[in-house]
Amino acid sequence: MSSTEEMALRIRDWAEDEMQFVSQGYLSSAAMPPVAELQQMCGGWRMYELWNFVTTYVKSAETVKKVRGNLFLDAKMESRGGSYKVCYKGKEKYSEEEASLQDRYEKLQSQITQARRDAGTLQNELSRLEKEMTEAEHIQTETCTQTKELRHGKALLHAYSLQCDAQCAQYKEYIARVRRLIEQFQKVANRPVDDKPAYSQEMEGTTGGAVESACTHAVRLCTKELQGFL
């Protein structure tokens, strides 16, 4: 038996057993192509290698579904600390190369599952850190605003303190003037009546005016002092 004839038989078995080939439509009554026609498909340039790969690694949707389910169960068993082996039903046994590839595929699938799990954990950690950073930025903004308000209040209090100091100095000066006036009044009041001099009141635009008593003169000077201070 030639290699192309053997490959033609493999293609027919692969189409019937693995892919569950059934004629449909207007060709529903047609049978599977004979081995001679299938053998022609393997005669082109590198067609033998192509069909060898197809019949070896291309599986039906049903088989893929079973494999995925078994891999899912295998990942679950590994996460629980157990062991699990995938079993397949078929007419032919897997070769050592196929078994090695299957084991490698299972390991890669397990690594992908673990990587996805780690990625999910990392994503949750990043979300937590992002939330903490947002809260820290909000707290920093509020702290800066409060600091700015405190500095503004401090500046206002300093200005008010300076104003109060200036007013205190003015009041002290006012008290000193009042005390001097009181002393003058007391001196005038203690003089005898005959000793109290008389003053002439200066009028606006003239050098002379009505004669005023010493008491009136003192009252007028005191009033001017108060008026100048206020």
Side-chain angles (χ1 to χ4, degrees):
M1 182 181 295
S2 63
S3 59
T4 56
E5 185 178 358
E6 183 181 357
M7 180 58 64
L9 293 174
R10 286 179 58 185
I11 292 173
R12 185 183 63 183
D13 294 339
W14 171 79
E16 290 178 349
D17 298 336
E18 179 64 32
M19 305 305 292
Q20 301 295 324
F21 175 79
V22 177
S23 300
Q24 297 179 358
Y26 67 94
L27 296 176
S28 59
S29 60
M32 177 68 69
V35 177
E37 294 183 5
L38 296 176
Q39 190 174 357
Q40 293 177 0
M41 297 170 54
C42 305
W45 180 71
R46 303 197 67 176
M47 293 301 297
Y48 182 86
E49 291 82 356
L50 174 63
W51 283 109
N52 183 36
F53 179 84
V54 171
T55 55
T56 302
Y57 299 110
V58 177
K59 305 299 179 182
S60 64
E62 187 68 23
T63 302
V64 171
K65 184 177 180 181
K66 291 179 180 179
V67 171
R68 286 181 177 176
N70 290 333
L71 291 175
F72 178 77
L73 291 176
D74 184 61
K76 289 292 186 181
M77 294 294 292
E78 287 184 358
S79 63
R80 296 178 181 178
S83 60
Y84 184 79
K85 290 186 177 180
V86 183
C87 298
Y88 300 94
K89 293 181 179 180
K91 294 181 179 180
E92 297 180 359
K93 294 183 179 180
Y94 281 92
S95 64
E96 294 181 0
E97 181 180 2
E98 293 172 342
S100 176
L101 291 174
Q102 186 63 36
D103 292 339
R104 183 180 179 185
Y105 177 79
E106 293 175 1
K107 291 180 180 178
L108 291 175
Q109 190 69 21
S110 177
Q111 292 177 2
I112 291 173
T113 303
Q114 184 64 32
R116 288 178 178 175
R117 190 178 300 124
D118 295 339
T121 304
L122 181 60
Q123 184 65 31
N124 294 332
E125 185 68 16
L126 289 175
S127 299
R128 184 184 64 81
L129 292 176
E130 183 178 359
K131 183 178 179 181
E132 291 181 356
M133 290 178 62
T134 302
E135 293 177 353
E137 290 178 355
H138 181 67
I139 294 174
Q140 181 183 8
T141 302
E142 290 184 349
T143 304
C144 291
T145 302
Q146 293 176 358
T147 303
K148 185 177 180 180
E149 292 177 353
L150 290 174
R151 289 178 178 175
H152 181 66
K154 180 181 179 181
L156 292 177
L157 289 175
H158 181 67
Y160 181 73
S161 178
L162 294 177
Q163 185 179 2
C164 290
D165 293 339
Q167 290 180 354
C168 288
Q170 291 179 358
Y171 283 126
K172 289 180 179 179
E173 180 65 22
Y174 172 73
I175 292 173
R177 291 182 182 181
V178 170
R179 287 178 178 176
R180 287 196 298 268
L181 293 174
I182 291 175
E183 291 176 357
Q184 292 178 3
F185 293 155
Q186 288 178 351
K187 290 179 180 180
V188 172
N190 292 330
R191 290 180 182 176
V193 178
D194 295 338
D195 294 339
K196 293 179 181 179
Y199 300 90
S200 71
Q201 184 180 5
E202 296 182 357
M203 304 297 293
E204 294 182 1
T206 62
T207 58
V211 177
E212 62 180 359
S213 64
C215 181
T216 304
H217 180 73
V219 171
R220 182 169 58 81
L221 292 179
C222 180
T223 304
K224 285 184 178 182
E225 290 288 337
L226 292 175
Q227 184 179 1
F229 177 76
L230 297 176

